Amino acid sequence: QVQLVQSGGGLAQAGSSLRLSCAASGGTFKPYGMAWFRQGPGKEREFVAALAVLYANTFYADAVKGRFTISKDDAKNTVYLQMNSLKPQDTAVYYCAATSGGHYPGPMRLSESYDLWGQGTQVTVSS
């Protein structure tokens, strides 16, 4: 069974950059989409970015558009979230997500569309 293993994250200063990685392993992996979500302190989990793998279409939350970039390395079965110009409000636990199948699962901004999840990684941005 495919598992998603996250790496990266940690502590950063406002205005700096971090990159998160999410590697898939353990089986055949041809997802329709991969995404990043985050959950800040006392907040609900929210959509950050998504990638429709086959079409290479990307989607971003307004709060991160122009600062964050989602990308995928097919050879490594790894999706990345490059986070630039970080702000204190980006502080959250970040989760990668993926569809286990290759069919359209539903709106890619919804967490319900994904059935594979990484373990989460903390990102803390200080002012």
Side-chain angles (χ1 to χ4, degrees):
Q1 184 171 345
V2 175
Q3 291 185 321
L4 303 180
V5 179
Q6 297 179 220
S7 60
L11 181 63
Q13 290 190 329
S16 66
S17 299
L18 284 175
R19 189 177 79 162
L20 305 181
S21 301
C22 175
S25 63
T28 302
F29 186 58
K30 295 184 183 296
Y32 180 92
M34 301 189 73
W36 290 93
F37 290 79
R38 68 186 182 185
Q39 187 166 12
K43 298 181 180 180
E44 295 186 351
R45 189 173 298 187
E46 65 176 1
F47 169 77
V48 175
L51 169 68
V53 175
L54 180 62
Y55 305 104
N57 290 343
T58 56
F59 310 88
Y60 295 95
D62 288 343
V64 306
K65 198 173 296 182
R67 299 188 298 122
F68 290 12
T69 302
I70 186 171
S71 63
K72 185 175 184 288
D73 185 330
D74 291 332
K76 297 182 178 180
N77 259 348
T78 299
V79 67
Y80 303 98
L81 184 68
Q82 178 66 43
M83 305 184 292
N84 298 330
S85 302
L86 284 163
K87 303 176 180 180
Q89 51 265 46
D90 294 320
T91 295
V93 177
Y94 284 72
Y95 298 90
C96 69
T99 63
S100 59
H103 299 290
Y104 177 68
M108 297 188 69
R109 296 173 180 266
L110 298 183
S111 60
E112 293 82 357
S113 297
Y114 303 90
D115 55 347
L116 297 174
W117 289 85
Q119 79 275 21
T121 186
Q122 178 70 45
V123 171
T124 302
V125 183
S126 62
S127 58

